[in-house]
Amino acid sequence: LIASILLPCCNAEIAAVDCPGEARAVGGGGSSPGNNLRRSVPLRAGSTSDPAGNGDVPTGWLVEYSAVANNETATVYAICVP
């Protein structure tokens, strides 16, 4: 399963995507034409902005961009398993 979202120009610099249902994230990432990815980490269960810590079961993916410029669309994705 792959869950993903697209961020239109000029949105917040941090974005996250959740895996569907009870699935957990085993990988993920992001991209943008401006190549401005700052960090890409597993997302803590129940959060929209906190990275998963040791022992947490990640349920999505968190990406931070330095900026998303005009006429650019950034993508965030999680690779999820049931």
Side-chain angles (χ1 to χ4, degrees):
L1 302 169
I2 297 178
S4 67
I5 60 171
L6 296 176
L7 302 173
C9 161
C10 311
N11 272 3
E13 296 174 354
I14 294 177
V17 62
D18 288 318
C19 292
E22 299 289 318
R24 61 186 175 92
V26 295
S31 64
S32 72
N35 202 19
N36 52 13
L37 187 64
R38 191 179 290 169
R39 73 175 170 156
S40 175
V41 295
L43 181 67
R44 189 183 72 185
S47 176
T48 59
S49 61
D50 295 324
N54 289 339
D56 289 341
V57 175
T59 58
W61 209 259
L62 175 69
V63 172
E64 182 179 0
Y65 295 95
S66 57
V68 178
N70 286 332
N71 300 318
E72 288 185 346
T73 300
T75 302
V76 181
Y77 64 90
I79 301 169
C80 308
V81 295

